[in-house]
Amino acid sequence: MAEESKKKAEIKVSGMHCASCALNVEKSLKDLEGVEDAQVNIGTEKATVEYDPEKLKLTELENAIENAGYGVANEHVILKIGGMSCVMCVKAIEEGLGKLDGISDVNVNLTSEKAYVTYNSEITTVANMKNVIEDLGYQYLGVEGEKTEELEEEVRAKDLKDKRNRIIVGFGFGIPLMILPYVDIPLPISMPLFMLIVSILPFIYVSYPIFAAGLRSLKHKNLDMDVMYSMGIGVAYVASILGTFSIILTQQFMFYETALILAAFLSLGRYLESRAKGQTSTAIKKLIGLQAKTATVIRSGNEIEIPIEDVQMGDTVVVKPGEKIPADGEVVNGESYVDESAITGEPIPAFKNAGKTVVGGTINQNGILRFKALKIGKDTVLSQIIKLVENAQGSRPPVQRIADKAVSYFIPTVLTIAIAAFLFWYLSGATLLFALTVLISILVIACPCALGLASPTAITVGIGRGAELGILIKNGEALEISEKLTTIVFDKTGTLTKGKPEVTDVDAVGMDELKLLKLAASVEKNSQHPLAEAVVKKAQEENIEIETSENFDTFGGKGVKAVIEGKEVTIGNRALFKDKNIAISEEIEEKLSKFENEGKTAVLIATDNSLSGTIAIADTLKETTRDAIEKLKKTGLKVVMITGDNERTANAVAKQVGIENVIAEVLPQDKSEEVKRLQEAGEVVAFVGDGINDAPALAQSDVGIAIGSGTDIAIESGEIVLIKNDIMDALAGIQLSKKVMGRIKENLFWAFAYNTVLIPVAAGVLYPFFGITFRPEFAGLAMALSSVSVLTLSLLLKGYVPPAKKEEVDIAQ
């Protein structure tokens, strides 16, 4: 390898624990063809690699590390970009940034005008990315999260005003010039010369941004729509000048008004597109708008108002009626109702007093609250939701690859068609004027922008709409898979049921019931299991003094034991008692069966390996469970319930909610295996669980739906996160996904249909039969409308209400 062709990369590696890990990483890197040397320092957790960039890319080095079972600690940044007008701009920026050393992945979203970049901060910086963007001729507007919203709005407003002025000038001069030849007005000079003098300055003003963008693209060896539009209006205007002075062409070739109106239509298309794109991100703007700008905190015994950025963990924050809560925390003093609807979608305000949690962005209503700030800045629930929605809006579903592939071939194909059509007509005996008109029409009517906007606009609006409804969809792939689901699996406890079980029966053997309850509660107070909490709660209600236990131990999914007052107390299910060889009498077996047939969970209690009784616990169903299950079944989905309960109890609960498919007696760690078994049988599976205990099953499923409980949500779990603790939202999430995917397909259909139908018409295929062809001006109008129609279809999603949410939204309104 020649010295000058070598590159050195420093890669931050995670997951290494010892020297052998470092050796494994070194070996996996050295095995790659093109790597000359690789050294891994376990102390700094960095791999230093010398490699040949002709043979290897940085991403291949990173993939080798990940394939060896370790992680690559890359940075992620979202860059705001101004000045993009079409999908070819996206391609230019992606390719430009992708050429920078240290960048692993770039995804540019034309709709949100953001670049989502994964990069190695040891090799490149945001400053380097800024230089690339500006060298390409686009505007760098800062990093997402920085306070650049005002700059963004300023740039957008200035851009819209500039486009509007050019449109007015273009049509203001172009339309009179179009009418002029049909009106008998005496002129001091010839008509062509008069049109040249009148049109030249307006033409330069209106078309300057198009020519500037086209030249910039050619400079960077990119063929984009600005190049084609420049060719179209440039050919029209130059032909007119040649005709005016009878150089090669005659005075028949008068396209002055055509060139001017074309440039105006192109500007109009981009003006409408920019306005529509601004509306696609209103959901994220609403979320950002929820954030408080200032906070009142107590410092040195005094209340002082400070910027939100200066709030620190542990600060005591004071919130007065009508004010926004500035951070997440726990109430230490005061009582009030808090409107959490902007985050949870719950229209009824939540009562808050000492010990209750509050979240930033919600509104205090009627009392004064003092709370301790526990999460600030980017760690708050609201900030996490904003970040999730932004990342999701930047994702690409697999269906978009069709459009991306079509766009990459589009411009060379259109140029070929335009030149071929020109030669065909000219060589077939048509006039040069006709052949030139056909060429110009093809160049300006072709539009890959509609193709490029079909998916990102629908995803941006659809995911934003989901956030407004309390349904957080993490990526475009989740949308696409949700449309193909065949099976939906529900965890029972806390998902179908409220997750707040209560003791219904206490049946003692050889002791009184209060004594049995005391023993059970003294053991169960050490456990976090919902059934354990129910037993402890019942003992507290009965004013039973709970004893201190010793030697507490758990048996995964089966039960617990501890020593109370010198006696070993074992609490659990049949499986645990069988393992421990504790005999269960026939009488108790009958009672167990009775409880289980009623849908109750029965736990057995033994003292020193002798059966002491049983406690029955029941968990009530959520109000919407039966209705949601019925509606899911009507969509054709197979509904499955999975639970750790025994089969009899599970079937009793399933019967109450209308579920026929039950998987019972499943240990928590085995739920993911059951999901895998369904997938191996050919099912496309969604798993609905609480996002904490069900993390492996959520990860294994094709689409994990994590159900939250209001503002206490596990955002990192599942592809879809439901803020409300309501399974009706799982159905609403699936309905929203299907709607968004349907809109993407509709957009793609119209985008393909537009180009497939109108390019041949512009090429003159209908002329021999019906005498129909396109005037270049109308071709420009059609091009402008194609992108706007796709954007409009996507914007209609802003008002979409999933049928499952319709009643709730109607009540809220």
Side-chain angles (χ1 to χ4, degrees), residues 291 295 297 299 308-315 317 326-329 360 371-381 383-384:
Q291 295 173 317
V297 298
R299 298 262 173 93
I308 187 69
E309 298 82 18
D310 295 341
V311 175
Q312 296 174 4
M313 294 266 286
D315 270 345
V317 184
D328 296 359
F371 73 91
K372 184 179 180 181
L374 300 176
K375 288 182 181 176
I376 57 173
K378 62 181 175 56
D379 296 323
T380 64
V381 167
S383 294
Q384 288 182 65

Side-chain angles (χ1 to χ4, degrees), residues 456-474:
T457 52
I459 284 176
T460 301
V461 178
I463 284 174
R465 181 58 179 150
E468 290 174 346
L469 295 168
I471 301 162
L472 305 178
I473 299 167
K474 283 192 175 179

Side-chain angles (χ1 to χ4, degrees), residues 99-235:
K99 286 174 186 173
L100 270 181
D101 287 342
I103 289 190
S104 305
D105 186 54
V106 186
N107 183 8
V108 177
N109 187 313
L110 176 61
T111 312
S112 61
E113 297 182 300
K114 289 170 186 168
Y116 300 78
V117 185
T118 303
Y119 71 103
N120 184 330
S121 57
E122 302 285 336
I123 301 173
T124 193
T125 63
V126 171
N128 294 339
M129 299 176 211
K130 173 180 182 281
N131 292 338
V132 169
I133 290 164
E134 290 178 342
D135 285 348
L136 287 167
Y138 302 97
Q139 295 160 311
Y140 172 81
L141 302 177
V143 172
E144 189 66 48
E146 291 178 353
K147 291 208 158 184
T148 56
E149 282 77 20
E150 286 180 17
L151 173 64
E152 224 180 321
E153 284 306 312
E154 197 180 301
V155 168
R156 188 186 296 279
K158 188 180 174 186
D159 178 59
L160 286 173
K161 186 180 178 183
D162 180 65
K163 285 186 172 80
R164 187 194 65 203
N165 291 344
R166 292 179 198 275
I167 292 163
I168 292 167
V169 170
F171 287 124
F173 281 88
I175 291 170
L177 284 175
M178 189 168 68
I179 296 167
L180 189 63
Y182 305 100
V183 180
D184 188 18
I185 296 175
L187 297 170
I189 52 175
S190 69
M191 178 76 75
L193 193 57
F194 178 79
M195 292 178 83
L196 169 62
I197 292 165
V198 170
S199 69
I200 190 160
L201 289 177
F203 178 74
I204 291 169
Y205 174 66
V206 177
S207 64
Y208 173 76
I210 300 165
F211 282 115
L215 286 169
R216 190 174 61 226
S217 297
L218 287 175
K219 180 184 164 189
H220 291 283
K221 298 176 182 175
N222 288 323
L223 264 182
D224 64 8
M225 291 315 297
D226 288 306
V227 174
M228 285 181 55
Y229 297 152
S230 299
M231 287 171 66
I233 59 177
V235 165

Side-chain angles (χ1 to χ4, degrees), residues 355-482:
K356 296 276 182 73
T357 58
V358 289
V359 298
T362 56
I363 300 170
N364 183 27
Q365 290 203 318
N366 59 328
I368 295 176
L369 289 175
R370 286 179 174 81
F371 73 91
K372 184 179 180 181
L374 300 176
K375 288 182 181 176
I376 57 173
K378 62 181 175 56
D379 296 323
T380 64
V381 167
L382 180 58
S383 294
Q384 288 182 65
I385 290 172
I386 290 168
K387 187 179 178 186
L388 183 148
V389 173
E390 283 173 343
N391 288 334
Q393 289 179 336
S395 64
R396 293 180 181 179
V399 73
Q400 192 179 336
R401 290 175 199 148
I402 302 166
D404 289 345
K405 197 157 190 177
V407 166
S408 66
Y409 294 110
F410 188 86
I411 292 175
T413 304
V414 170
L415 282 173
T416 304
I417 292 169
I419 294 164
F422 172 81
L423 292 171
F424 171 81
W425 287 113
Y426 186 61
L427 297 173
S428 298
T431 63
L432 179 59
L433 179 63
F434 181 84
L436 205 57
T437 303
V438 165
L439 174 74
I440 296 166
S441 295
I442 294 171
L443 289 174
V444 295
I445 204 167
C447 185
C449 298
L451 279 172
L453 288 167
S455 172
T457 52
I459 284 176
T460 301
V461 178
I463 284 174
R465 181 58 179 150
E468 290 174 346
L469 295 168
I471 301 162
L472 305 178
I473 299 167
K474 283 192 175 179
N475 53 56
E477 197 168 347
L479 287 170
E480 191 159 337
I481 297 170
S482 295

